[in-house]
Amino acid sequence: MQSVADAVAGMLAATSGYALGEESVVLQQLDGRILAKPLYAPETVPAFDNSAMDGYALHSRDAELLCSTGLTLAGAALAGHPFRGVLQPGQALRIMTGAEMPAGADTVIMQEDVQVDVQADGERIVSQVPLHPGSHVRHAGEDIRRGEVMLAAGQRLTPLHIGLLASVGLAQAEVFRKLRVALFSSGDELCQPGNSRESHQIYDSNRFALRAMLERMPVEIIHFAWLPDTLEAMRSAIAAAAQEADVIITSAGVSVGDADYTRQVLDELGEVNFWRVAMKPGKPFAFGRVKNSWFFGLPGNPVSAIVTLDQLAQPVLRQLCGERVQAALPLLATAAEAFRKQPGRQDFQRIRLDSEAGVLMASPCGSQGSGLLHGFADAQGYAVLDAERGHVAPGEQVRVMPLGALLN
Ligand code: AMP
Ligand code: MG
């Protein structure tokens, strides 16, 4: 058996260098897409010095006048409506947040710190609050300088990045095309949701759960079908998918002795290894190449299928999408209850998380059976228990992983 870490490292090494084509995508459709090239800032941000507050712009050399006779108002600047003149000594300008700083000013004083006197020669402002030269001014270029690398290639774009692109005036970006995925469930016992079930049948839950997970990544599902347990069905589906898919994913039919035709088809069409990964839930798992496609064979048990897609296949799929893959942050929690664990395999136990006086607490949730989705559906994360260890006593520290982007 090999460890989860070794299995993932092996697949990442095998798939490195696989490069998808690129396409230009508009801001409205960029969420979750992967940047294909480093992105250089076409603009300096802020583009001009502007006020961070509603108040008055003035020059700091007028600090003494401000607290004695006061400064006269030369006009106003609003966001989108600059003041075109130059402030003279003894003058201030009414200015609103985001408005361009006028020539002749270097400081903004908040309106809350100012009294306005209406006098015969116009309005004057006076303030007893100490003036800090340069305060409340957002300077040109303090966030981004034109020409600098704003984002690296391989960045997965989130709403923050989309805002950033828009803020420098870009309406689109070069990203990798979507990964083409063929997804199959298999097994004669399966009945499709929406149909009435014969007494010996179970519903095909994997195909739909796995699809929803995959669609949280930049993938396009190009084949999506149930396959009966026959050599012919498996052979023709896999062969057709391998013509155009980057990735083929199957659930079930890779158990030892279960369905030799799966192995037969994979041996005929490609080079796939059946792995015994020391993880629970998780066995069996297959990975390899079928013609021009990468192949992942997931277990049939619904919890195992979901956890292996999440923990084993996800980093590899992300890398295939062009994403720079980052390891999950290690997090520790205190076991609120005992966890049952047999030494041998790394366990991904489904847990609920809680906070007690700021300390993260983990408790197992639902049944840990690999066929049962209901308990999993209530989970907020996994407790990741090392292969060698046995039961966990209440109060012990355990490594936890909140459910990530595919399951949340
Ligand atoms: P297998 O990998 O074919 O030995 O299947 C393991 C278990 O998972 C069996 O109990 C199957 O009935 C069940 N199973 C297989 N495929 C699915 C599916 N698509 N949805 C739900 N359960 C499944
Ligand atoms: Mg089966």
Side-chain angles (χ1 to χ4, degrees):
M1 283 214 273
Q2 61 177 322
S3 71
V4 173
D6 287 350
V8 171
M11 290 188 285
L12 287 175
T15 54
S16 79
Y18 188 78
L20 300 176
E22 298 168 16
E23 61 188 12
S24 187
V25 171
V26 296
L27 289 177
Q28 293 89 316
Q29 280 149 24
L30 272 181
D31 191 25
R33 302 299 297 271
I34 314 298
L35 205 57
K37 299 188 169 82
L39 202 109
Y40 296 92
E43 284 256 6
T44 288
V45 179
F48 48 88
D49 291 355
N50 68 91
S51 176
M53 288 283 176
D54 290 343
Y56 297 86
L58 49 93
H59 200 287
S60 52
R61 75 169 116 65
D62 283 340
E64 275 181 27
L65 260 187
L66 177 67
C67 63
S68 53
T69 46
L71 305 179
T72 59
L73 279 189
L78 281 70
H81 300 278
F83 174 76
R84 300 286 186 198
V86 179
L87 276 197
Q88 302 303 317
Q91 287 188 324
L93 185 78
R94 176 85 174 121
I95 196 164
M96 307 307 277
T97 305
E100 186 174 6
M101 287 292 285
D106 64 358
T107 301
V108 169
I109 183 164
M110 294 198 286
Q111 63 187 19
E112 293 85 341
D113 292 344
V114 166
Q115 297 100 50
V116 183
D117 293 333
V118 182
Q119 299 186 345
D121 60 344
E123 286 180 321
R124 277 179 172 271
I125 60 161
V126 179
S127 174
Q128 305 315 325
V129 178
L131 190 72
H132 301 289
S135 64
H136 307 312
V137 177
R138 303 190 284 217
H139 292 283
E142 73 182 33
D143 192 14
I144 301 167
R145 298 228 159 243
R146 188 158 110 205
E148 80 177 84
V149 176
M150 280 201 319
L151 296 171
Q155 175 68 53
R156 179 167 54 93
L157 300 174
T158 70
L160 297 174
H161 305 112
I162 292 168
L164 184 62
L165 292 183
S167 77
V168 293
L170 295 173
Q172 52 200 36
E174 284 293 304
V175 295
F176 291 112
R177 73 159 168 81
K178 291 184 176 178
L179 192 73
R180 295 193 188 108
V181 176
L183 175 63
F184 301 107
S185 59
S186 69
D188 285 344
E189 74 278 33
L190 298 181
C191 172
Q192 292 308 310
N195 297 327
S196 59
R197 189 180 59 80
E198 310 261 351
S199 59
H200 58 276
Q201 289 186 308
I202 62 163
Y203 284 114
D204 179 1
S205 62
N206 289 352
R207 199 152 61 92
F208 299 93
L210 298 175
R211 180 181 180 127
M213 291 173 74
L214 289 165
E215 287 185 329
R216 302 270 175 108
M217 293 183 279
V219 308
E220 186 188 347
I221 305 288
I222 58 167
H223 290 260
F224 182 59
W226 161 75
L227 306 177
D229 283 325
T230 68
L231 184 65
E232 243 338 289
M234 181 66 81
R235 184 192 277 137
S236 62
I238 301 279
Q243 307 265 356
E244 45 185 350
D246 298 297
V247 171
I248 300 171
I249 299 176
T250 63
S251 93
V254 289
S255 315
V256 183
D258 162 42
D260 290 335
Y261 60 87
T262 311
R263 287 166 189 257
Q264 192 181 322
V265 168
L266 296 174
D267 282 344
E268 273 174 32
L269 300 178
E271 207 169 304
V272 173
N273 295 309
F274 290 77
W275 290 5
R276 296 183 64 228
V277 182
M279 79 186 275
K280 191 180 167 201
K283 285 188 303 177
F285 180 78
F287 169 75
R289 199 86 185 129
V290 175
K291 296 196 189 294
N292 291 320
S293 310
W294 297 101
F295 179 88
F296 296 86
L298 308 181
N301 277 313
V303 174
S304 309
I306 290 170
V307 175
T308 49
L309 178 62
D310 197 28
Q311 294 293 330
L312 293 179
Q314 177 179 193
V316 189
L317 292 170
R318 288 198 182 281
Q319 177 172 284
L320 288 171
C321 289
E323 185 175 343
R324 273 179 309 131
V325 186
Q326 298 190 333
L329 284 180
L331 278 183
L332 288 178
T334 302
E337 293 168 35
F339 286 72
R340 297 179 57 76
K341 163 83 172 67
Q342 300 304 326
R345 294 194 271 158
Q346 184 173 39
D347 261 21
F348 289 83
Q349 297 207 13
R350 279 73 68 206
I351 55 168
R352 291 206 51 90
L353 289 164
D354 214 338
S355 162
E356 265 177 34
V359 176
L360 197 58
M361 306 294 291
S363 16
C365 77
S367 153
Q368 297 291 326
S370 61
L372 306 166
L373 275 186
H374 188 224
F376 198 174
D378 205 31
Q380 294 163 307
Y382 305 103
V384 186
L385 307 178
D386 291 343
E388 320 78 60
R389 68 160 305 146
H391 300 316
V392 176
E396 272 191 67
Q397 295 281 96
V398 290
R399 185 153 82 87
V400 296
M401 220 184 252
L403 292 186
L406 298 198
L407 289 175
N408 219 333

